[in-house]
Amino acid sequence: MSSIVFSFDTTEATASASELSRAATQVLPARQVVGMADDALLEHGAALEELGRQIDARRVEWAAEVGERSRRELGSASLTAQKGCRTAVELIQRVTRSSGAAASRLLKLGAETRPQRSLSGVEFPARFPRVSEALNNGDIGTDTARAIVNGLAPILDHVAIDDLAAAEFELVCAATGTSPESTVPAAADEITAQATQWRAFLDPDGVRPTEERAMAERGFSRGIAKGGLICGTYALLPEIAGKFNRVMDAQLSPKTTGTFLTDDDRAAAEAAEAEGGRDPRTDSQKRHDIFASMIDGIARSGDLPSVGGAAPTVLVSVTADDLSRGRGVGWIDGVDDPISFDAVKQFACTGGTQNIRFDSDGRIIELGSPQRCFTPAQRKAITLRDGGCIIPGCSIPAAWTEIHHVVPDAEGGPTHTDNGVLLCWYHHRSIETSGWQVRMRKGVPEVKAPPWIQWDSPWRPASKSRTRNRPPTRGRASTGPPARGEIREE
């Protein structure tokens, strides 16, 4: 059993910081955990956390005292004025070398958990006495204490004292594992959720002002260019976030939802995962790619207002030389950062191109017709045939997909239903590098998994159409895989 004994008397003025630091170094030698058995390592972590809670409690107590001695009404006699600091936060920052946010959190928690003193010097209990007691005893940490305080502080002046005390008591019990409902201490995140429930229960009318403030503060920024990304922020109302999360969850959990997957697709996805072929994207990256597909679907829906008499269109410009060489960069109208030629090719494959020639002075001297665009009728036909992104395991629906030229236009591929397949934004963007292969047989798409998913994978029909999907014919001899992008008629 790993244990740590570390005690000090805070009432002794001679207990200097250097002495405490030396004591801690002796108790906690560097790299002590290397080579520990698993159970001993976890026990050691629990003991360290217990020690950390004791130290954090003293830090909060210290910050509260600094704040008390730095009260504005003390004027030039305040501790901050004497030390040449504007605020108690600045003073704590300079002493602890912490961030302003960390110093502010310490100061706020200390003010809520220390005894209150009136102007006449009369002392009153702390605003959150049970939190204060549990914190000082090392039963809860600062994260948990802050969760309770921040959860209940907004209703201090709106509910009965007894009701507030009951909520504080229950939350402390839940955090320390002394609740009749559970003897397992709840983590700080759980306490945050419970405190929110208590606040709504005790002060249901208080939700309305919060909603009114949220309505005023909601937003979705356009973002700024930063390192090849457009970085912005969003502040969604809870009900909008709930809807957005459900859409994301539906696409990120194909095994549980299966809305757009056939049994064969689901089995293929599970087999790929069993072979170690997991999707290389993080959940955050998947959400980005789902959002990209959603935007494409909305733009193609025909329900959006026109811009300049035409449907909303993203203009991407690239020089004729770069286009013919297959290298260079492109520029999106309204976006300062350039895009790679891979992105240019994806735009061209999906939306087509229009040649515009300028003379040396910049005058337009030739305006070509749009080329390589699948018509709405072709898209409907391909949608009925493919039913969604044709890559096995992908649950992006047909309405959110793009049409990919199996044989590129530059290689003579026609803009025809026999040469177009549905791919989601991500699989379209990565089709040249991911290892997935696509071919057409008698106008029907087939896919072949990359080696990292299944070595020597067979070609298989790729349709997810509910009306077309049927068990593949067994025993049909293969005539061998064609080159990437080849259209094979049999």
Side-chain angles (χ1 to χ4, degrees):
M1 176 70 178
S2 175
S3 62
I4 297 176
V5 179
F6 182 34
S7 62
F8 54 89
D9 186 355
T10 56
T11 62
E12 291 289 339
T14 57
S16 66
S18 59
E19 290 173 340
L20 294 178
S21 178
R22 284 195 298 271
T25 303
Q26 294 172 359
V27 174
L28 305 173
R31 301 183 64 81
Q32 180 178 340
V33 299
V34 176
M36 274 188 179
D38 291 347
D39 289 344
L41 180 65
L42 298 181
E43 292 171 359
H44 185 72
L48 284 174
E49 181 58 28
E50 183 177 355
L51 171 61
R53 289 196 297 267
Q54 294 284 352
I55 294 177
D56 283 347
R58 305 290 83 77
R59 293 170 62 217
V60 170
E61 184 181 33
W62 168 80
E65 186 62 24
V66 171
E68 176 67 18
R69 300 186 187 188
S70 302
R71 299 193 318 274
R72 184 172 301 176
E73 57 266 25
L74 296 177
S76 60
S78 70
L79 186 58
T80 51
Q82 294 179 45
K83 302 303 179 184
C85 294
R86 292 179 295 106
T87 63
V89 170
E90 181 185 350
L91 179 56
I92 292 174
Q93 273 188 275
R94 294 187 181 279
V95 173
T96 63
R97 291 175 286 181
S98 62
S99 67
S104 180
R105 287 194 297 268
L106 273 179
L107 196 61
K108 180 180 177 182
L109 183 57
E112 299 286 10
T113 55
R114 68 167 283 138
Q116 304 294 303
R117 191 180 301 276
S118 68
L119 295 177
S120 61
V122 178
E123 187 173 285
F124 296 96
R127 285 156 61 92
F128 293 93
R130 291 174 178 81
V131 173
S132 177
E133 180 182 4
L135 181 65
N136 289 328
N137 291 339
D139 296 329
I140 61 174
T142 53
D143 286 345
T144 297
R146 197 173 293 115
I148 299 175
V149 168
N150 291 346
L152 299 181
I155 61 174
L156 272 174
D157 300 327
H158 306 297
V159 301
I161 295 177
D162 291 344
D163 290 340
L164 188 71
E168 182 188 3
F169 175 77
E170 292 294 340
L171 289 171
V172 170
C173 287
T176 55
T178 56
S179 171
E181 286 76 18
S182 175
T183 58
V184 179
D189 288 342
E190 297 175 86
I191 296 301
T192 298
Q194 292 182 26
T196 300
Q197 293 173 339
W198 271 105
R199 185 172 68 245
F201 173 72
L202 294 177
D203 186 30
D205 293 337
V207 174
R208 185 175 297 277
T210 300
E211 287 185 345
E212 292 174 353
R213 184 173 63 252
M215 281 291 291
E217 296 177 355
R218 74 191 190 282
F220 202 109
S221 71
R222 284 179 175 268
I224 58 175
K226 182 179 180 181
L229 296 171
I230 305 300
C231 301
T233 59
Y234 65 79
L236 304 180
L237 294 172
E239 62 269 28
I240 304 304
K243 296 175 183 178
F244 183 74
N245 290 337
R246 290 305 296 164
V247 171
M248 291 296 173
D249 291 344
Q251 303 306 316
L252 291 174
S253 304
K255 289 185 181 179
T256 56
T257 58
T259 305
F260 307 106
L261 298 183
T262 65
D263 292 340
D264 284 347
D265 291 327
R266 190 178 296 105
E270 293 174 355
E273 185 171 317
E275 291 289 332
R278 298 179 184 275
D279 193 319
R281 295 175 291 173
T282 65
D283 284 347
S284 179
Q285 290 169 334
K286 291 177 184 177
R287 283 190 286 270
H288 168 277
D289 297 348
I290 292 169
F291 186 71
S293 298
M294 291 168 61
I295 294 300
D296 286 343
I298 294 170
R300 285 191 297 268
S301 67
D303 296 331
L304 294 180
S306 63
V307 179
T313 303
V314 176
L315 298 180
V316 181
S317 61
V318 61
T319 67
D321 288 341
D322 286 349
L323 192 61
S324 62
R325 289 183 305 164
R327 56 179 300 184
V329 298
W331 301 90
I332 296 178
D333 182 41
V335 178
D336 293 334
D337 279 14
I339 60 174
S340 70
F341 202 78
D342 288 339
V344 172
K345 289 192 297 183
Q346 183 176 1
F347 267 104
C349 184
T350 302
T353 61
Q354 183 173 13
N355 294 327
I356 303 175
R357 293 182 58 195
F358 303 89
D359 63 15
S360 57
D361 296 325
R363 179 187 178 191
I364 298 175
I365 59 176
E366 181 180 334
L367 179 62
S369 300
Q371 304 171 7
R372 300 175 59 243
C373 293
F374 285 93
T375 66
Q378 287 176 315
R379 180 175 181 88
K380 290 178 182 178
I382 293 172
T383 296
L384 289 173
R385 182 196 66 199
D386 295 352
C389 178
I390 65 170
I391 300 300
C394 182
S395 61
I396 297 299
W400 296 358
T401 57
E402 302 173 347
I403 300 182
H404 167 63
H405 285 74
V406 177
V407 177
D409 175 76
E411 299 175 15
T415 302
H416 188 278
T417 55
D418 286 350
N419 190 41
V421 297
L422 298 185
L423 292 177
C424 71
W425 179 90
Y426 169 70
H427 286 117
H428 195 184
R429 180 67 175 268
S430 61
I431 193 65
E432 299 295 333
T433 58
S434 64
W436 284 100
Q437 297 183 57
V438 180
R439 73 179 184 184
M440 304 295 291
R441 286 171 42 124
K442 296 183 178 180
V444 177
E446 292 186 342
V447 296
K448 184 176 183 179
W452 57 267
I453 289 182
Q454 183 180 1
W455 184 257
D456 197 24
S457 168
W459 287 92
R460 62 187 297 269
S463 176
K464 296 176 181 176
S465 171
R466 296 296 188 185
T467 56
R468 290 195 64 261
N469 193 51
R470 59 185 183 274
T473 302
R474 305 296 181 185
R476 181 168 58 187
S478 172
T479 57
R484 175 186 295 276
E486 175 185 342
I487 298 179
R488 166 173 290 171
E489 295 291 344
E490 295 185 356

